[in-house]
Amino acid sequence: MKKALSVLLALGCAVSLAACGSSSSSSSGSSDTTAAQAADSGDTAEATEAAASSGGSDEDTVLIGLYGTITGTNAIAGDMLQKGAQIAVQEVNESGGINGKTLELVVYDDKSSPEGAVKAVTRMVEVDHVLGICASNLSPDILATVDITEEAKVIQVGAGTSTAYCNAGYSYMFRGTASAALPNAAFVAAMSDMGAEKVAIVSIASENGVSGVASTKELMGDKFEIVCEEQYQPTDTDFTGQIAKVLASGADSVVLYGTTADSALVIKQLRSSGFDGYIYGPEALGVPDIINVAGDAANGVIFGSGAIIPSSVEEAATDIEKSFLETYVSIYGVLPLSDVVYRGYDSAWLIATALRNAEDYTNPESLREAFINITDYEGIAGTYDFSDESGEGVASARSFIVDGGKNVLFETWLANQ
């Protein structure tokens, strides 16, 4: 079975790359490629005509969509999102599909921009007529598109962690991972356990950084003294100025809120400048590239996360995570590069679960009702329960610490100190 899955996924990935923006998880016809090329060229009429000959659900297939950062500064995360969702779609089909019909995934590159996301989602809604969407790993891209899917009554299941797009009154917007507030609460609790007192905050000047810091400060309350707050731009690679102010502040701890790529550089430069305290942050600090780029400088980083990529398949936290990793490694030969792969997997399976359980999955209200009736779904990020209609499904996260070049469960590490 895994050999067959490997062949199917390899074919799906090849088609995705050839189409440069649109693909199906099963083999796509030439009309799919034509539609993608037409969309990229900006010829809306041609794109519509091409997609009309192949897109949309029919008597044999059920179509869902995905958009993410397949190219651009966050390409690794977007690639992981896509691969996770593709594995889920193949598992769904191997276990009977959607009431006997084949589930198909159409993938679009949002090019790491809100503008690209709007283009992708508009096309999925108006041309492909997808029944659900696995949404981007970038929260600003989700926020740029949510009004489109709300008006069309199409479910989106987001892979971004920002607290901004759930608990916001949307009816068709859900999250396929833990919100940033949960990892934040986990690492703030770890700060208390470690006796942090004077805290410096260093963050990226983006929606993710702003909302993440706001959530963290609310959780910190008056338990810690914030002695320094510094921001940097998403394109920055030299953080000398910000680090100098951190060191001058006398901080014993640093909260770092950014993407994996820039966070690894900040950590490395903090250590080389003499900071030897603990560095805290969200799930972006748990991506393997943090250790790969920062090396020994990453030791002493403590982060909150719903799930992480372990050092080996055997170190997976749950059976479902272990099973997924076994499948992933059998296909690609290596462990995933980012936990975003879990978000794509959980998101696609959640949509499939609602499609399977809906009285009429072609009816938006019926599909939404089936989604909010998901109350005990075991995903990689945890147990999902959407019954409160907030859009949030996961209720907790855990803390981890980098120790000896490995991500270790913080609770276990602390007990051994």
Side-chain angles (χ1 to χ4, degrees):
M1 181 179 292
K2 285 185 177 178
K3 183 177 180 181
L5 178 61
S6 177
V7 172
L8 286 168
L9 279 169
L11 179 58
C13 290
V15 171
S16 172
L17 291 172
C20 298
S22 176
S23 71
S24 170
S25 59
S26 60
S27 58
S28 298
S30 60
S31 56
D32 289 319
T33 303
T34 302
Q37 292 170 341
D40 285 342
S41 71
D43 189 334
T44 305
E46 183 181 351
T48 302
E49 182 179 356
S53 66
S54 61
S57 303
D58 56 30
E59 65 273 11
D60 298 316
T61 63
V62 176
L63 190 66
I64 63 173
L66 178 147
Y67 67 101
T69 60
I70 311 300
T71 61
T73 56
N74 293 283
I76 290 176
D79 178 58
M80 291 292 98
L81 182 74
Q82 179 181 357
K83 287 176 177 174
Q86 285 174 324
I87 289 175
V89 167
Q90 293 302 328
E91 289 182 354
V92 169
N93 288 329
E94 289 180 349
S95 60
I98 306 300
N99 303 331
K101 297 183 180 182
T102 300
L103 183 64
E104 292 190 1
L105 180 72
V106 57
V107 175
Y108 287 93
D109 179 11
D110 68 22
K111 301 179 181 178
S112 298
S113 74
E115 295 79 11
V118 168
K119 181 178 179 180
V121 171
T122 299
R123 177 170 169 74
M124 281 190 281
V125 169
E126 296 183 358
V127 178
D128 298 318
H129 304 297
V130 298
L131 297 181
I133 296 173
C134 300
S136 181
N137 44 290
L138 286 186
S139 297
D141 293 7
I142 297 173
L143 288 166
T145 67
V146 66
D147 287 340
I148 299 170
T149 46
E150 285 293 300
E151 182 177 355
K153 296 184 177 181
V154 174
I155 283 173
Q156 284 204 68
V157 183
T161 60
S162 169
T163 57
Y165 68 82
C166 285
N167 291 291
Y170 296 120
S171 297
Y172 292 84
M173 188 75 246
F174 302 92
R175 193 190 308 276
T177 187
S179 79
L182 300 177
N184 291 354
F187 78 71
V188 169
M191 290 169 63
S192 293
D193 291 335
M194 297 303 296
E197 295 180 354
K198 296 183 177 182
V199 180
I201 299 176
V202 180
S203 63
I204 190 169
S206 70
E207 190 281 331
N208 178 58
V210 172
S211 63
V213 168
S215 168
T216 301
K217 290 171 72 173
E218 183 177 352
L219 290 163
M220 289 170 62
D222 58 1
K223 292 180 288 187
F224 312 93
E225 180 186 359
I226 298 174
V227 295
C228 177
E229 283 193 67
E230 289 294 314
Q231 279 191 330
Y232 58 87
Q233 297 302 313
T235 55
D236 287 350
T237 56
D238 183 349
F239 310 96
T240 304
Q242 293 92 337
I243 290 172
K245 293 180 181 179
V246 169
L247 297 176
S249 72
D252 57 55
S253 306
V254 171
V255 168
L256 176 56
Y257 224 104
T259 69
T260 296
D262 47 68
S263 294
L265 295 177
V266 174
I267 291 166
K268 195 170 184 177
Q269 292 175 33
L270 269 169
R271 296 301 194 210
S272 65
S273 298
F275 182 77
D276 60 1
Y278 290 99
I279 300 171
Y280 301 86
E283 68 286 338
L285 303 190
V287 176
D289 263 7
I290 291 291
I291 297 172
N292 295 339
V293 174
D296 290 342
N299 290 323
V301 167
I302 298 174
F303 60 92
S305 183
I308 63 168
I309 305 299
S311 300
S312 66
V313 172
E314 290 68 31
E315 294 177 37
T318 64
D319 289 341
I320 185 172
E321 181 184 12
K322 183 178 182 182
S323 176
F324 171 83
L325 291 174
E326 288 174 341
T327 300
Y328 188 96
V329 171
S330 75
I331 297 167
Y332 298 106
V334 294
L335 288 166
L337 297 174
S338 165
D339 73 292
V340 174
V341 74
Y342 296 152
R343 307 181 201 179
Y345 181 81
D346 278 0
S347 294
W349 255 115
L350 287 165
I351 293 173
T353 300
L355 287 166
R356 284 177 165 179
N357 294 340
E359 289 187 12
D360 177 6
Y361 62 69
T362 65
N363 181 294
E365 287 84 1
S366 178
L367 186 55
R368 177 185 179 276
E369 184 71 18
F371 208 100
I372 62 176
N373 282 332
I374 294 174
T375 58
D376 59 356
Y377 177 81
E378 290 297 331
I380 295 179
T383 302
Y384 287 88
D385 182 345
F386 293 99
S387 59
D388 69 357
E389 301 187 42
S390 68
E392 301 286 9
V394 178
S396 63
R398 296 175 293 176
S399 286
F400 300 83
I401 183 169
V402 181
D403 182 50
K406 290 186 176 182
N407 293 325
V408 179
L409 189 64
F410 175 73
E411 182 180 2
T412 301
W413 174 86
L414 189 63
N416 294 326
Q417 298 307 299

